[in-house]
Amino acid sequence: MRGMYICLCNAITDHDIRRAAADGVRSFAELQTRTGCSDCCGCCEAEARSTLDVAIAQVALDLPILVAA
C-alpha cells in the first residue's frame, strides 16, 4: 500500500508523514527537515500539517498508526 501523495514535489505520502510521527516528529518544521515535505512549492502545507496533527494525536493517545511496511 503506497498511500496518498501529500507532497508531489518530494513524493511524500500520508504514510510517510504518519511514520515520521511514529518516529518522534512533533512539529511541522521537524517534518520538513526529516522528509523535505512542503519545502518546494508549499501547495501541500495545509494537508501535510493536518495529516501530521492527526498522526501526533494518535501517538499521544497511543492509538495504532497505519503505516506501510
Side-chain angles (χ1 to χ4, degrees), residues 47-64:
E47 188 63 30
R49 283 182 182 275
S50 176
T51 302
L52 180 62
D53 289 345
V54 168
I56 290 170
Q58 288 175 322
V59 168
L61 294 173
D62 199 30
L63 296 175

Side-chain angles (χ1 to χ4, degrees), residues 4-64:
M4 177 180 74
Y5 281 100
I6 302 292
C7 177
L8 294 176
C9 295
N10 294 307
I12 306 299
T13 66
D14 58 328
H15 292 269
D16 296 325
I17 294 172
R18 286 194 208 54
R19 184 180 312 275
D23 290 343
V25 169
R26 294 296 175 266
S27 72
F28 186 70
E30 189 176 4
L31 178 70
Q32 287 182 295
T33 299
R34 288 201 191 180
T35 67
C37 186
S38 190
D39 71 355
C40 195
C41 77
C43 289
C44 63
E45 183 174 343
E47 188 63 30
R49 283 182 182 275
S50 176
T51 302
L52 180 62
D53 289 345
V54 168
I56 290 170
Q58 288 175 322
V59 168
L61 294 173
D62 199 30
L63 296 175

